[in-house]
């Protein structure tokens, strides 16, 4: 029988439907497995579990393919703008000129952050990581900008608010962490240029906008805009499935992205390269540590859950490193170390056997450093880029009539029932 999988358990045969995606991907639909057989599936890290069907992003990890709404990432990075990609991901199609202008105006209209929120920012300890600040501030937005849930127009405004304000808040977090005066958004500047200005303009040194730097940031954001059901996106869908408001779901996504195996990897790569540089530049030592089973150290910026070949985003980002450093007439010893590391790892049996290739984060830190961003802002920049993907996936999930409260099962392996012992009768603790 076609498009059906057969499971034999306890001598009985069960058939389960197979769902086939646009690109021929196949999944066994196990939604009736438990009611039919009493069984559940066990899949650590959900590596073999499809949590939804989606029309947004297609990835093929074996072939190194990434497409948003069907359009290859290479074409978007070459020809599109970040705001256009935001529209594409959230609305499902490329906007015409009028639609894009209207959307840009909406972003401008919602770019300011309520003055009362400035007080919140001022009271975070100076050393707070900007990801923690951003996550907290995004949840707080709900108090300042309540919306009527489920109403289309309100959702559109909330989306524009988030896309625009998260960028303003990210720059504010940076300025406040340095004890500097906040720079307000400007209506005459486009999305990326506006952000660069809010980050780097100061009364003593006005920021001069360089179109090549603006383009580099735009491309960085395009490359990060969505990546189907990754850790933070799944978090947004999962938290959203409890029917929380969009701000809370996005705040959870930011927190999930913070980790060094996910969005924090770009910061971790630069920290690793700086350490190698300080230690005399011996990349062999680091490769040996990464291969050592008894050492928890991993080569940051290498490997990916889905890509088992070169990450297509890394190819574009690597080229961007050279273009930008060349244009800025700069050299970066960290890029030389990264290139050596890449060459050794790509020819090493350990990395070849495990299909470990550089991912986007291996190069993106060098581009962000060249622009002038401090290392702890790297994950925040990733979060701004990933925001449209989170919103698109959240929107798709709430519009899906079959969407349920996310609630995985488990196999319990703890003790069987034991009796409670009053405290004065307990002999020893573990
Ligand atoms: N350095 C050394 N060994 C590695 C690495 C690495 N970077 N990545 C994976 N391995 C080894 C791992 O030890 C394991 O070995 P073994 O089979 O002997 O136990 C094997 O490769 C498979 O690894 P895994 O952890 O089971 O694979 P995964 O799919 O769960 O991990 C990953 C994916 C991204 C968490 C992992 O490759 C990693 O930790 N990379 C470094 C962090 C990083 O660069 N993260 C950014 C990912 S791209 C940004 C994004 O999309 O979020």
């Amino acid at each position: 029988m076609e498009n059906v999988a057969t499971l034999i358990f306890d001598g009985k045969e069960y058939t389960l439907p197979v769902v086939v995606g646009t690109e021929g991907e196949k999944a066994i639909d196990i939604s009736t497995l438990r009611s039919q057989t009493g069984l559940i599936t066990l899949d650590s890290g959900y590596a073999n579990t499809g949590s939804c069907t989606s029309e947004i992003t297609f990835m093929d990890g074996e072939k190194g393919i990434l497409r948003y709404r069907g359009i290859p990432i290479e074409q978007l990075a070459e020809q599109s703008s970040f705001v256009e990609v935001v529209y594409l991901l959230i609305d499902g199609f490329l906007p015409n000129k009028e639609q894009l202008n209207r959307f840009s105006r909406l972003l401008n209209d919602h770019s300011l952050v309520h003055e009362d929120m400035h007080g919140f920012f001022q009271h975070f300890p100076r050393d707070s990581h900007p990801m923690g600040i951003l996550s907290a501030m995004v949840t707080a937005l709900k108090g300042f900008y309540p919306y009527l849930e489920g109403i289309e127009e309100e959702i559109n405004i909330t989306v524009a608010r988030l896309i625009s304000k998260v960028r303003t808040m990210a720059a504010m977090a940076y300025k406040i962490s340095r004890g500097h005066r906040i720079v307000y958004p400007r209506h005459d500047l486009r999305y990326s240029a506006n952000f660069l200005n809010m980050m780097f303009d100061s009364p003593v040194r006005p920021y001069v906008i360089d179109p090549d730097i603006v383009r580099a940031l735009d491309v960085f954001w395009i490359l990060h805009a969505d990546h189907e059901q990754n850790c933070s996106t799944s978090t947004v869908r999962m938290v959203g499935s409890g029917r929380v408001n969009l701000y809370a779901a996005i705040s959870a996504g930011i927190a999930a992205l913070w980790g060094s195996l996910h969005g924090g990897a770009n910061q971790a790569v630069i920290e690793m390269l700086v350490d190698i540089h300080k230690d005399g530049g011996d990349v062999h030592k680091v490769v040996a540590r990464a291969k050592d089973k008894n050492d928890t150290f991993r080569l940051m910026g290498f490997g990916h859950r889905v890509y088992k070949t070169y990450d297509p985003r890394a190819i574009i980002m690597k080229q961007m490193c050279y273009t930008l450093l060349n244009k800025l007439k700069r050299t970066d010893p960290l890029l030389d170390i990264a290139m050596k590391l890449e060459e050794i790892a790509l020819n090493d049996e350990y990395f070849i056997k495990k299909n470990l290739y550089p991912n986007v984060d291996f190069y993106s830190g060098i581009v962000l450093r060249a622009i002038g961003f401090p290392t702890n802002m790297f994950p925040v920049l990733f979060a701004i880029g990933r925001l449209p993907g989170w919103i698109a996936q959240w929107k798709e999930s709430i519009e899906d009539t079959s969407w349920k409260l996310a609630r995985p099962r488990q196999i319990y392996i703890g003790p069987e029932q034991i009796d409670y012992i009053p405290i004065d009768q307990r002999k020893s603790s573990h």
Side-chain angles (χ1 to χ4, degrees), residues 220-384:
F220 169 85
W221 277 337
I222 291 170
L223 297 182
H224 287 78
D226 195 43
H227 220 211
E228 50 120 302
Q229 307 314 316
N230 57 83
C231 171
S232 55
T233 303
S234 303
T235 301
V236 170
R237 277 189 180 256
M238 191 163 207
V239 172
S241 80
R243 303 292 184 264
V244 297
N245 64 81
L246 176 58
Y247 301 118
I250 297 299
S251 166
I254 296 170
L257 187 73
W258 193 353
S260 64
L261 296 189
H262 192 17
N266 51 17
Q267 175 174 349
V269 169
I270 290 295
E271 284 164 358
M272 176 186 77
L273 295 175
V274 167
D275 283 348
I276 299 171
H277 185 52
K278 276 195 201 146
D279 199 34
D282 185 359
V283 290
H284 293 276
K285 231 167 66 186
V286 176
V287 171
R289 273 195 73 192
K291 288 159 52 174
D292 184 354
K293 272 255 163 239
N294 301 315
D295 192 332
T296 53
F297 174 82
R298 284 187 169 193
L299 208 53
M300 299 317 285
F302 261 78
H304 198 275
R305 171 61 60 80
V306 181
Y307 295 124
K308 297 305 164 200
T309 180
Y310 230 104
D311 176 344
R313 305 166 303 169
I315 299 171
I316 300 167
M317 203 41 91
K318 182 176 179 180
Q319 190 52 47
M320 181 61 84
C321 279
Y322 286 109
T323 313
L324 195 66
L325 290 179
N326 212 10
K327 142 85 209 219
L328 299 175
K329 299 198 177 21
R330 256 193 244 157
T331 53
D332 187 342
L334 298 195
L335 181 59
D336 300 335
I337 293 172
M339 296 324 300
K340 264 193 239 160
L341 204 53
E342 181 187 3
E343 196 192 328
I344 292 170
L346 289 179
N347 289 298
D348 190 293
E349 191 64 9
Y350 174 94
F351 291 87
I352 296 171
K353 257 194 164 155
K354 295 183 192 295
N355 292 318
L356 299 172
Y357 290 85
N359 57 52
V360 68
D361 292 319
F362 193 66
Y363 300 105
S364 61
I366 293 168
V367 169
L368 299 179
R369 213 167 106 95
I371 297 177
F373 291 112
T375 321
N376 67 354
M377 280 296 284
F378 292 2
V380 169
L381 291 154
F382 191 156
I384 300 172

Side-chain angles (χ1 to χ4, degrees), residues 108-298:
N108 259 338
D109 288 348
H110 293 284
S111 60
L112 282 170
V113 170
H114 200 293
E115 286 293 321
D116 289 354
M117 288 189 90
H118 292 208
F120 279 22
F121 275 96
Q122 301 286 3
H123 289 102
F124 278 100
R126 283 278 179 263
D127 289 343
S128 304
H129 196 287
M131 279 299 259
I133 300 179
L134 193 65
S135 177
M137 296 311 288
V138 168
T139 312
L141 280 174
K142 175 77 166 94
F144 288 91
Y145 304 97
Y147 68 97
L148 298 172
E149 273 156 64
I151 296 177
E152 185 71 23
E153 195 48 33
E154 296 261 1
I155 291 181
N156 289 343
I157 290 178
T158 305
V159 165
R161 259 192 204 128
L162 265 169
I163 299 284
S164 198
K165 289 192 200 309
V166 160
R167 169 198 56 171
T168 308
M169 292 194 304
M172 279 170 76
Y174 169 68
K175 282 290 193 193
I176 286 171
S177 74
R178 305 204 64 193
H180 289 177
R181 184 176 64 84
I182 287 164
V183 176
Y184 284 88
R186 275 175 36 189
H187 272 206
D188 59 320
L189 293 177
R190 291 192 169 271
Y191 193 87
S192 304
N194 217 341
F195 177 67
L196 287 164
N197 191 63
M198 284 190 272
M199 282 286 300
F200 300 122
D201 188 54
S202 86
V204 287
R205 197 183 302 154
Y207 186 65
V208 180
I209 289 162
D210 177 333
D212 290 319
I213 290 184
V214 173
R215 184 66 200 149
L217 182 60
D218 229 44
V219 171
F220 169 85
W221 277 337
I222 291 170
L223 297 182
H224 287 78
D226 195 43
H227 220 211
E228 50 120 302
Q229 307 314 316
N230 57 83
C231 171
S232 55
T233 303
S234 303
T235 301
V236 170
R237 277 189 180 256
M238 191 163 207
V239 172
S241 80
R243 303 292 184 264
V244 297
N245 64 81
L246 176 58
Y247 301 118
I250 297 299
S251 166
I254 296 170
L257 187 73
W258 193 353
S260 64
L261 296 189
H262 192 17
N266 51 17
Q267 175 174 349
V269 169
I270 290 295
E271 284 164 358
M272 176 186 77
L273 295 175
V274 167
D275 283 348
I276 299 171
H277 185 52
K278 276 195 201 146
D279 199 34
D282 185 359
V283 290
H284 293 276
K285 231 167 66 186
V286 176
V287 171
R289 273 195 73 192
K291 288 159 52 174
D292 184 354
K293 272 255 163 239
N294 301 315
D295 192 332
T296 53
F297 174 82
R298 284 187 169 193

